[in-house]
Amino acid sequence: KEFKYDLIISLSFFINYIQKEIIKSLPKNILKIGVFVNEDIVKVREVQQFCGITNLQFHGQESAEYCKQFGVPLIKAIKVKVNGEFVP
């Protein structure tokens, strides 16, 4: 499935009402990506619902099980050792 978007907005979160309104006012064809590092599941869901986040991006030690439970497309950053082994 090919996606065409004018812009992708990636956000790190210290969310307040003004930020929520800015995010909600963005055109529908713009992805709203929440970026998190080792955040509590409840906080991710809160920000996702509060701001209308369309996609998630994780940069910590989140497991596959953790990432799958949010029901939106996501990006999971991983670290790779010099010898090619994946690091959680």
Side-chain angles (χ1 to χ4, degrees), residues 22-86:
I22 291 169
I23 294 165
K24 294 264 186 187
S25 71
L26 293 171
K28 299 274 188 226
N29 63 330
I30 293 178
L31 293 176
K32 289 84 172 177
I33 302 175
V35 180
F36 300 90
V37 178
N38 299 325
E39 189 60 73
D40 179 70
I41 293 167
V42 173
K43 181 64 174 179
V44 174
R45 287 190 194 279
E46 177 185 303
V47 171
Q48 183 183 14
Q49 293 173 0
F50 184 75
C51 295
I53 298 301
T54 58
N55 299 63
L56 296 170
Q57 187 169 340
F58 298 108
H59 284 268
Q61 296 175 329
E62 301 88 0
S63 68
E65 293 77 27
Y66 173 97
C67 293
K68 289 179 186 178
Q69 62 188 310
F70 298 101
V72 296
L74 64 94
I75 297 167
K76 174 63 179 111
I78 59 172
K79 296 179 183 178
V80 180
K81 287 186 176 180
V82 174
N83 64 7
E85 292 182 30
F86 291 107

